[in-house]
Every structure is written in structure tokens, then in C-alpha cells.
Amino acid sequence: MPNAVPALREAEPLPQPYLLFLGDVTEPGYAKTAFGLRDWAGERCVGEYACKGATVTTGLPFLSPPQARMLGARSMVIGVANPGGRIPANWIPLLLDALHAGLDLIGGMHARLAEIEPLRNAAVVHGRRLIDVREPPVGLPVASGRKRSGRRLLTVGTDCALGKKYTALSLSRAFASRGIDADFRASGQTGILIAGGGVPMDAVVADFAAGAAETLSPDADAGHWDVIEGQGSLSHPAYAGVSLALLHGSQPDVIVVCHEHGRERMLGHPHFALPSVEDTIDLALRLGARTNPAIRCAGVSLNTGALDAATAQRAIEATAARLGLPVADPMRGGPAFDRLVDACLA
Amino acid sequence: MPNAVPALREAEPLPQPYLLFLGDVTEPGYAKTAFGLRDWAGERCVGEYACKGATVTTGLPFLSPPQARMLGARSMVIGVANPGGRIPANWIPLLLDALHAGLDLIGGMHARLAEIEPLRNAAVVHGRRLIDVREPPVGLPVASGRKRSGRRLLTVGTDCALGKKYTALSLSRAFASRGIDADFRASGQTGILIAGGGVPMDAVVADFAAGAAETLSPDADAGHWDVIEGQGSLSHPAYAGVSLALLHGSQPDVIVVCHEHGRERMLGHPHFALPSVEDTIDLALRLGARTNPAIRCAGVSLNTGALDAATAQRAIEATAARLGLPVADPMRGGPAFDRLVDACLA
């Protein structure tokens, strides 16, 4: 795009800390990104900002962009999505407030920030950046297949949208709490905002997808773990290619298979049955062995969010008994999750 | 790109017949595209055109662009590639000759025709199109996984560059010679020029790759065959994701596995052993069954180009005996190829 808005350099982390922008949203379901950032990157969020009339809050202090800048914020993140992914006209003055105050703007909606004329003009005038986390880095390589140093874990799903990101975040946090040097590696937009960097795998040109996955978890110290957010499912009729490229490029030593208890049909593709956890493990190990013959499955992350505690406990135990593997719901933690973490690090 | 060069409408076939442009090439290896077009789309090539000093010829008559236009040509295709994929300055006057004569220009090199100022200006003035077959169609959908009518065959490789395109072309020609309604469906640049249309799978954004494959072989009559050019290999460390998206989106009833006799290491990735033909069949059937449970392997296309006739014959027979499947080298034809065609249509 031929403009003079300063660009993010390749592999440069996102400017942090963040001020979270909540728009004029009154439905909490539209503010998932803001809640995810509060929960997983709270120490890098100085506060929130919103239009008059917004009722959703993250509980963080309400700050004007100049106040946030004073407290160290370097960017304002659009933490809400509305149906259609548009940026309504009444948000623009508040987005301009952020640019005027010296903050960069970060968005991940379908509408590109740099295509909005007043934002572009203000960014040029103030030397601020308009960063779109849907935009993959330029100059991605074709995958080499070369084995990299360090250790890697990839979350692998039976389907989309059932906990691969939260499982990877939970595991990387658990690794760190045991004193292990670990990084969460993000492959989707919300994950990228949380991590402060990453690659939006779904937006990469197909020939470079495995190469993009290779750049996501570079060579590291022998004891270092990259905990990589999975995408899609190897059995998904639309996205399996993305999942396979991510699996091949990640070269995981360990996979954790993520499944939602009771889900029987593919999300958005109800004429496709969900693959079994057993089949998903078998397929991922077979395919993953191509770039890492030592790949193994440490266990299963079971999303039991729809169940009460006792039913969830029974579901976790029954699945563990059936598979002969550690099974846990990371959102519930407890000894089952400790056993899953043990198995990952074994 | 903001210019006034008329664009090709989505799914519009390439303008044909072609005049083949050979540049100033003196090394036949650089003219593979021109030779492929002569061999597989000869009835749609009116002649060739080249700079002074070019020594490579397709054997077609040398025609100036106005002569070619008189004989019905609608476009001139750049049928050569030089190292680096650039368009040298001494080609420009001849490319302008074509635009002046009322021909569109078609290229598939890394350098984009529309980025060359004199070509752009001339295209605008003459209302001609600058068509780049590396450019995927806009508005590709996410795959639906919906089963389409008609029958489909996909060529599946143990590796890149070992005969998937030629096998698909040979099979579609053999089907047609038996009176069967069949289309060759191209998934790569040279194939697209031969077919006059198609989708460059390697250039599609990953999330839309299976959707692109679905659009490549649309609903058809029950007795119609689409013979689809495969890409990459399910065991390729860089391109397996593309291959899987193409397999899922193609929903093939039949696969033919393509292999080069004696190749033991992946092209460009010599630290990876080639997968066996048996493993390739097994993996393709397992993965392909996700979108077409009736998928079957009809046999193997064995590239024996490096062998003498007797050795090739022995290699074909030995492979057929080992696999218990029809095996043929389509370039050699004969009864073995007839048996492979029989098995595809069985």
C-alpha cells in the first residue's frame, strides 16, 4: 500500500503495553479479544478506553489515551469485533485520540486500519503505525525441513475453536511456573496480540505455510520449550492443509490433542462427523513423524466448559481410562492437569 | 493494482489461440513452457515469435504478431523463462509489437507484466490485457466439503516434478480418445496455459486452498471426468499442506500415484528420503477418504524417462508385480498404459 505510514519491521514485537479499546460494545461476546488479553497478558495491559454508552468492561482502569501513554502504553488494541468486522464511524474520533497521544493502533478486524483515510492521515502526521495482525510477515521462506534446536510442543485439534490456544497458553504458563524456559508461540490473531508477535497461519500463501511455521519457533537453547498454538484440524475439510503445514513446520517433539467433550459434528460443516481422539492422535503422529521422527503424544486437553464439575471430572477420568493417556481440562487445573504437564515434560 | 489495464474476469478462460514468444533463448531447457504448449495445446498455438538471435524453435511457423492476429491468435504467451525470472529490456519492443497488433500478453514469470511501465501504458492505450497466470482468482471461497456431481481423478506424487501434470494430460487425452467427456484441470502455471484456465494452487492463501480446489472441478454431468493435475507430495516437508488441500478439495474418486523410477531423495530436500509408493497410496487414500469415502487408487504412473526401453519395461513390470496394481509410463504408452486407463474407468 503506497503510503508513508511507518511499518512494523519483520519479526519486530508488537508495541506494548497495550491500552484496550472496547468501542461501543454492549454484548460481552464481542469483546473476546479484550478479555483474552486481560486474562493472558494482563501485565501488559495498562487499562481500557471506550465510547460513551459502552457497557462491557474488562475491569481494568478506564484511561484516556494521554493517561495511558503517561503510564507507559505504546499502542491501543481494538479489543472488540462487531458483526461484519467493520469499524463504525463513531469509533474514529477515539482511534484518532490514540494516534494524537502517541500510541500506535493495532487491529485484527476484516477492515484494514490503513484503508481508513482519517487514520492514515493522522498516522502519517504523527509518525504512528497502523498494525494489522491479519497481515503475515513479508519475505516468508519455503520450509527447509532442517531440524531446529530446542524443544517444541504443538496443540492439535479434533476441530476448530475448542481450546488449542488456551491449552497452549495454560501449558506454557505451567512450564514457566516450574522454572522452565518456555515461550507461547501464536499462530492466530488473538494469540498474536497475547504473545506480542507470531504468524497468522491462515493468511499465509500456501507454498510458504510450512516455512512460516518454521520461522515461528526458531532455533533455541536445548532446554527451551516453544509451546505452539495449533490451527484447524487435520480432518477439517477446509483447513487441514493449514494444520498439516503447521505440524510439519513446527517439528513438535510433543503434541497435546485438544477436543471438546460431546462435540460430534465439525463446526460450520455439520455433514462431517468429528474424528475420534484416537484417530486424531494416530494421524498427527504419522504425519508429524515426517519432520520429527521422535514425535509423541503426551495426552489430551478436554474442554469440559459445558459440564458441571462432577460430570466434567467423570468425563476426564473416563477419557483417560479409555486412551491410557493423561487427560485434563486446563481451565479446571488440578492434579489431572499436573499429570498432563508431567507427561509433556517427561 | 491501480491501473486501467482491462482485467480477466473471474473464471474467464485465457484468450486463445496463442502466439508463442521465445525471447532470445538459445538453451532449450529454458523453453519448457513453449514446448509443453506445442505438445499439449498445439491446436491452439498458431505460431512462434522471437528476438533476433534466438536459436530455440518449437517447429511452429515464425509469425509476426500482426500475421498471428490475422490467423486468429488472441494472445502472445511468454513461453520461456530465464534464470531469475526477469523480463530483459530487449524483449520489450517485441512484447509491445503484440499489444500493438491487438494481442493480449500472458506471462507466468516472477516479474509481473503490469509492473513494466511501457507495457502498462501500451495495454491501456490499446485496451489489451496483461495476464499473469501466477495470480490466483479473487474471491476464492472457504471449502464447503459438499460432494459435487461428476467424476474426478487426481494425480498424487511421491515428490515434486516427476510427472503429475503429464500423467493427468495423458489420461485426459486417453479418456477423450475413448469417447469419454473429460477435462484436464490445471493447478500450476504451465498446466493453466495448456488448459486455458485453472488455479495456481501454490499462490492461494492457505485458508482458501481447499476452497480453490473445489472451484477447480465444479459440479458436472454424472458421466463427466475431471482429470486434475496434482501438486507437491503429502510427504513433502514444505508443500504437503498444498497437496492435502488439493486432495480434500478435489474429492477424487480415483487417484493415480506418480513416481520416478530410482528417485530416492526429495528434490531440493536431499536429507528427506522419498516415501515409498505403497506409503503414498495408503496415506492419500486415508486422507482423501475424509471428503470422498469412495476414493480408490487405480494404479501408478512410473516415470522411466532416464531408462532405455528394455530396462523401463522391466521396471514397470516389477513395480506392477510388487504392488498388484496397473503400472505404466504414460510417455511410453502401450498395453500397460491401456490397462492403467481401464483401471481408472473401471
Side-chain angles (χ1 to χ4, degrees):
Chain A
M1 184 160 303
N3 67 23
V5 182
L8 206 65
R9 288 190 305 276
E10 197 180 338
E12 188 183 5
L14 294 174
Q16 299 177 330
Y18 302 134
L19 174 64
L20 304 180
F21 180 66
L22 293 164
D24 52 358
V25 161
T26 56
E27 162 56 49
Y30 291 142
K32 274 193 201 168
T33 299
F35 292 134
L37 285 169
R38 177 200 61 193
D39 293 344
W40 294 102
E43 78 287 1
R44 285 170 279 131
C45 298
V46 299
E48 67 178 37
Y49 186 51
C51 302
K52 281 202 178 72
T55 57
V56 171
T57 176
T58 60
L60 294 169
F62 188 98
L63 300 174
S64 71
Q67 290 173 321
R69 186 74 194 85
M70 290 276 288
L71 291 170
R74 292 187 53 221
S75 62
M76 184 164 84
V77 173
I78 299 180
V80 288
N82 53 7
R86 303 260 157 257
I87 292 179
N90 62 324
W91 291 11
I92 303 289
L94 289 88
L95 302 181
L96 289 171
D97 288 347
L99 295 171
H100 294 164
L103 301 179
D104 293 332
L105 271 184
I106 305 180
M109 307 175 76
H110 275 290
R112 300 291 161 106
L113 295 169
E115 287 171 2
I116 297 171
E117 197 68 24
L119 296 183
R120 255 177 78 165
N121 293 341
V124 171
V125 168
H126 295 285
R128 300 314 335 154
R129 297 177 293 192
L130 303 175
I131 299 164
D132 195 319
V133 294
R134 284 181 184 265
E135 203 67 58
V138 292
L140 288 170
V142 166
S144 73
R146 183 185 62 80
K147 184 85 174 73
R148 301 188 297 287
S149 54
R151 312 205 66 185
R152 286 168 188 80
L153 182 152
L154 175 69
T155 56
V156 168
T158 54
D159 194 3
C160 296
L162 43 60
K164 292 185 289 290
K165 178 174 71 255
Y166 270 48
T167 299
L169 285 162
S170 302
L171 288 171
S172 61
R173 191 173 276 188
F175 286 13
S177 76
R178 294 190 182 194
I180 289 163
D181 186 20
D183 280 306
F184 167 69
R185 296 296 188 180
S187 59
Q189 292 138 28
T190 301
I192 290 170
L193 289 169
I194 292 170
V199 178
M201 282 297 297
D202 57 356
V204 171
V205 168
D207 243 18
F208 302 99
E214 290 188 346
T215 67
L216 182 59
S217 65
D219 279 305
D221 289 343
H224 177 274
W225 280 86
D226 271 328
V227 183
I228 304 161
E229 173 193 9
Q231 288 295 327
S233 158
L234 294 166
S235 297
H236 196 288
Y239 305 127
V242 179
S243 305
L244 180 54
L246 182 56
L247 176 61
H248 274 172
S250 296
Q251 307 176 347
D253 303 287
V254 168
I255 58 168
V256 170
V257 168
C258 302
H259 177 60
E260 183 180 32
H261 179 77
R263 192 184 296 191
E264 293 178 353
R265 319 297 303 177
M266 300 297 278
L267 194 70
H269 291 71
H271 46 307
F272 284 87
L274 221 71
S276 69
V277 173
E278 289 87 335
D279 190 55
T280 302
I281 293 172
D282 183 69
L283 189 57
L285 294 181
R286 176 172 179 179
L287 293 167
R290 183 65 174 157
T291 58
N292 187 348
I295 189 173
R296 66 185 174 85
C297 177
V300 170
S301 170
L302 192 66
N303 181 337
T304 61
L307 307 181
D308 64 56
T311 315
Q313 180 65 21
R314 282 197 301 276
I316 288 168
E317 286 169 7
T319 307
R322 192 182 88 228
L323 298 172
L325 281 172
V327 177
D329 184 338
M331 296 296 102
R332 298 184 188 269
F337 185 59
D338 290 339
R339 284 192 293 273
L340 179 59
V341 174
D342 290 341
C344 291
L345 297 172
Chain B
M1 184 158 306
N3 66 23
V5 181
L8 206 64
R9 289 189 305 275
E10 196 180 339
E12 187 183 4
L14 294 174
Q16 300 176 329
Y18 301 134
L19 174 63
L20 304 181
F21 179 67
L22 294 165
D24 52 356
V25 161
T26 55
E27 161 56 50
Y30 290 143
K32 275 192 199 168
T33 299
F35 292 133
L37 285 169
R38 176 200 61 193
D39 293 344
W40 294 102
E43 76 287 1
R44 285 170 279 129
C45 298
V46 299
E48 67 177 37
Y49 186 51
C51 302
K52 280 205 179 69
T55 56
V56 171
T57 177
T58 60
L60 294 169
F62 188 99
L63 300 175
S64 71
Q67 289 172 322
R69 187 75 195 86
M70 291 277 288
L71 291 170
R74 292 185 53 221
S75 62
M76 184 163 84
V77 173
I78 299 180
V80 287
N82 52 6
R86 304 259 157 257
I87 294 181
N90 61 324
W91 292 11
I92 304 289
L94 290 88
L95 302 181
L96 290 171
D97 288 347
L99 295 171
H100 295 164
L103 302 178
D104 292 332
L105 272 184
I106 304 179
M109 307 175 77
H110 276 290
R112 300 292 161 105
L113 295 169
E115 287 171 2
I116 297 171
E117 198 67 25
L119 297 182
R120 257 176 79 164
N121 293 341
V124 172
V125 168
H126 295 285
R128 300 314 337 155
R129 296 178 294 193
L130 303 175
I131 299 165
D132 195 318
V133 294
R134 283 181 184 264
E135 203 67 59
V138 291
L140 288 170
V142 165
S144 73
R146 182 184 63 80
K147 183 83 175 76
R148 302 187 297 286
S149 56
R151 312 206 67 188
R152 286 168 189 79
L153 182 151
L154 175 68
T155 55
V156 168
T158 52
D159 194 4
C160 296
L162 44 60
K164 290 185 291 290
K165 177 174 72 253
Y166 269 48
T167 300
L169 285 162
S170 302
L171 288 170
S172 62
R173 191 174 274 187
F175 286 13
S177 76
R178 294 188 183 195
I180 289 163
D181 187 19
D183 281 306
F184 167 70
R185 297 295 187 180
S187 58
Q189 292 139 26
T190 301
I192 289 170
L193 290 167
I194 292 170
V199 178
M201 283 297 295
D202 57 357
V204 171
V205 168
D207 242 17
F208 302 100
E214 290 188 346
T215 69
L216 182 59
S217 64
D219 279 305
D221 290 342
H224 177 274
W225 280 86
D226 272 328
V227 183
I228 303 161
E229 174 194 8
Q231 288 295 328
S233 158
L234 294 166
S235 297
H236 196 288
Y239 306 127
V242 179
S243 305
L244 179 54
L246 182 57
L247 175 62
H248 274 171
S250 296
Q251 306 176 348
D253 304 288
V254 169
I255 58 167
V256 171
V257 167
C258 302
H259 177 60
E260 183 180 31
H261 179 78
R263 192 185 295 192
E264 293 178 354
R265 317 299 303 177
M266 301 296 279
L267 194 69
H269 291 71
H271 45 309
F272 283 88
L274 222 70
S276 69
V277 173
E278 289 87 336
D279 190 55
T280 302
I281 294 172
D282 182 69
L283 189 57
L285 294 181
R286 175 172 179 180
L287 293 167
R290 183 66 174 155
T291 58
N292 187 348
I295 189 172
R296 66 185 173 85
C297 177
V300 170
S301 170
L302 191 66
N303 181 337
T304 61
L307 307 180
D308 65 57
T311 315
Q313 180 65 21
R314 282 197 300 275
I316 288 168
E317 287 170 7
T319 307
R322 191 183 87 227
L323 299 172
L325 282 172
V327 177
D329 184 339
M331 295 297 102
R332 297 184 187 269
F337 185 59
D338 290 339
R339 285 193 293 274
L340 179 60
V341 174
D342 291 342
C344 291
L345 298 171

